[in-house]
Amino acid sequence: MSAANLPLGAPEPGVDAAGFRAALGRFATGVALVTADAGGTPRGLIVSSLASVSLRPPLVAFSPSRDSLTWSRMRRTGRFGVNVLGEDHATYVRTAAPAGADRFGPIAWSRTPGGIPRLDGAIAYLECAIEAEHRAGDHWIVVGRVLHAETAPGPPLLHWASAFARLTPGPDTETP
């Protein structure tokens, strides 16, 4: 059986989960809260898997777990928001990231005109419609069409080597 045909959850030959996680931990990422309104209840997922997919049309992607009860509720809405978090959100993320955590009680937020929860103080906000969803191992790859985008000043919250990290801009870096 080829590696491409291994059943879900089967170990890959020569790659252990801890080594794979450690290697990808060397890739610095931003941190975002993906939000939706599910039947009048705000729902959210902390992600570091956000990626730009396309400029034309404007598409982004993120990868929630296939076991995520929160995502199973959020996906039914057909729309979601992406709140890109800044350095000052580190304490919030530590308390909001675990499964079952209250992601809206400890932080200021409001609803967009479309009803999507939006965090106050996010350094960027994207409102999206679900364009596609693909199975990928034990996660989904969710592709969203960006319908609205805004930015605000501030340094990003970065995740690197299983911890938060700071960005040190170089001399040729412009601050947005």
Side-chain angles (χ1 to χ4, degrees), residues 34 38 43-45 67-75 100 103:
V34 176
R43 303 282 181 191
L45 294 169
D67 294 334
S68 172
L69 181 58
T70 301
W71 176 246
S72 72
R73 292 174 176 153
M74 291 171 64
R75 74 160 34 111
R103 297 189 176 103

Side-chain angles (χ1 to χ4, degrees), residues 18-119:
F20 180 65
R21 181 180 294 252
L24 288 181
R26 304 307 288 176
F27 181 71
T29 66
V31 182
L33 176 69
V34 176
T35 61
D37 179 274
T41 302
R43 303 282 181 191
L45 294 169
I46 304 285
V47 302
S48 61
S49 59
L50 182 66
S52 170
V53 174
S54 171
L55 287 174
R56 292 188 200 110
L59 301 173
V60 295
F62 71 99
S63 299
S65 170
R66 284 183 40 202
D67 294 334
S68 172
L69 181 58
T70 301
W71 176 246
S72 72
R73 292 174 176 153
M74 291 171 64
R75 74 160 34 111
R76 295 179 201 142
T77 68
R79 296 173 78 98
F80 61 90
V82 177
N83 298 268
V84 177
L85 304 179
E87 268 185 2
D88 58 342
H89 290 108
T91 300
Y92 163 74
V93 171
R94 284 185 189 94
T95 61
D102 180 359
R103 297 189 176 103
F104 295 94
I107 195 160
W109 63 280
S110 59
R111 292 186 189 276
T112 66
I116 297 174
R118 178 183 175 170
L119 293 188

Side-chain angles (χ1 to χ4, degrees), residues 146-172:
V146 179
L147 306 172
H148 177 77
E150 294 179 19
T151 62
L157 180 59
L158 297 180
H159 193 256
W160 180 76
S162 299
F164 294 129
R166 284 214 158 111
L167 178 67
T168 305
D172 60 345

